[in-house]
Amino acid sequence: MSNKVAFVASARPEAQQALRAMIANYGQCDEADADVIVALGGDGCMLDTLRRRFADPRPVYGMNQGTIGFLMNDYREDKLMERLDRAERAVIYPLRMKTRTIDGDVSDNLAINEVSLLRQSSQTAKLQITIDGRVRMSSLSCDGVLVATPAGSTAYNLSAHGPILPIGANLLALTPISPFRPRRWRGALLRHNATVQIDVHTPTLRPVAASADNQEVRHVESVTITEDRNKPLVMLFDEGHALEERILQEQFAH
């Protein structure tokens, strides 16, 4: 791999300190000219860096200077170039969220982890779920629902008791958030190329917000979710610690 590396960092003090140290050791390349982007911070920093990669194919290698760092490698200042040379690639694809609000406004956003719908008020959300043009659930009373990618299945989806998906499984997780009726519904596994449409019943009385990761649209009436295979993202992981291995380990955590 070329030595053309661009370092980026979150605002956390430890990440900023690491940024100064890495630039002193390896120099700094402009992001537009780099062969690889090294992100210093937590998973939020990695997601922000990946979002800037929708327009280009540059891989991102993260080093943990944040809290959880599930998507990051261990931070070390030495032998970075050797680590990059031996790194394993993980290719992931984002979700495209198309929303229509009660005012008729239409928006289009991309999500790396998940698209989630959540109630905006004390009123329970009532949702209709359609998969590939067929209504699968005419009325779901809940706090919300989400569609997660394999890369995002260990994030909010896991907290909502959704399944962990291996990278490369070509599946999406459809997971309810605090379902009230039907009370025992725990969600579904969908093909990666499924089209999910979620319509909000009485959206004025029971307002719902939709989020593509941290990009929120409020007072939605209808949301359509598809995988976008035209926007591949490449992450790099240390040899033997690839994302697929981390997801497998997470399933045996106790």
Side-chain angles (χ1 to χ4, degrees), residues 114-117 144-148 156-157 160 173-177 198 225:
E114 75 278 319
V115 170
S116 57
L117 282 77
V145 69
L146 63 85
V147 177
Y156 191 7
N157 173 72
L174 174 64
T175 302
I177 302 168
I198 302 173
I225 305 158

Side-chain angles (χ1 to χ4, degrees), residues 1-2 4-6 35-39 46 50 53 57-64 69-74 80-92 233-244 246:
M1 181 173 290
S2 167
K4 297 170 66 175
V5 176
D35 296 306
V36 60
I37 312 298
V38 174
M46 171 60 87
L50 286 170
R53 306 275 68 80
R58 292 177 182 84
V60 179
Y61 178 89
M63 286 201 284
N64 189 22
F70 184 82
L71 301 175
M72 314 299 274
N73 299 284
D74 291 337
L80 174 63
M81 297 306 167
E82 291 88 339
R83 293 172 75 182
L84 293 177
D85 284 340
R86 297 194 302 266
E88 301 177 14
R89 295 163 62 93
V91 180
I92 62 173
L233 299 170
V234 180
M235 291 187 289
L236 300 177
F237 292 92
D238 286 333
E239 193 175 21
H241 296 278
L243 184 58
E244 186 167 358
R246 293 175 182 221

Side-chain angles (χ1 to χ4, degrees), residues 10 73 101 110 120-121 126 130 136 157 173 180 195 223 234:
S10 71
N73 299 284
T101 69
L110 291 171
Q120 289 179 212
S121 70
K126 289 193 175 181
T130 303
R136 293 292 182 177
N157 173 72
F180 174 69
T195 297
V223 179
V234 180

Side-chain angles (χ1 to χ4, degrees), residues 164-187:
I164 295 175
L165 304 179
I167 294 294
N170 288 329
L171 294 170
L172 301 174
L174 174 64
T175 302
I177 302 168
S178 301
F180 174 69
R181 188 173 291 113
R183 190 180 300 275
R184 297 186 183 278
W185 188 63
R186 292 296 178 260

Side-chain angles (χ1 to χ4, degrees), residues 10 12 14-15 17-18 40-42 63-67 72-73 75:
S10 71
R12 294 174 65 98
E14 55 267 48
Q17 181 178 347
L40 305 166
M63 286 201 284
N64 189 22
Q65 286 295 90
T67 305
M72 314 299 274
N73 299 284
Y75 176 75

Side-chain angles (χ1 to χ4, degrees), residues 130-133 190-197 224-227:
T130 303
I131 310 295
D132 294 330
L190 308 175
R191 298 188 322 274
H192 73 94
N193 58 352
T195 297
V196 182
Q197 180 176 322
T224 302
I225 305 158
T226 55
E227 184 186 67

Side-chain angles (χ1 to χ4, degrees), residues 122-174:
S122 59
Q123 294 281 355
T124 300
K126 289 193 175 181
L127 309 173
Q128 175 177 285
I129 300 174
T130 303
I131 310 295
D132 294 330
R134 180 175 176 182
V135 175
R136 293 292 182 177
M137 185 165 290
S138 59
S139 183
L140 170 65
S141 298
C142 56
D143 280 355
V145 69
L146 63 85
V147 177
T149 66
S153 66
T154 57
Y156 191 7
N157 173 72
L158 182 60
S159 298
H161 307 291
I164 295 175
L165 304 179
I167 294 294
N170 288 329
L171 294 170
L172 301 174
L174 174 64

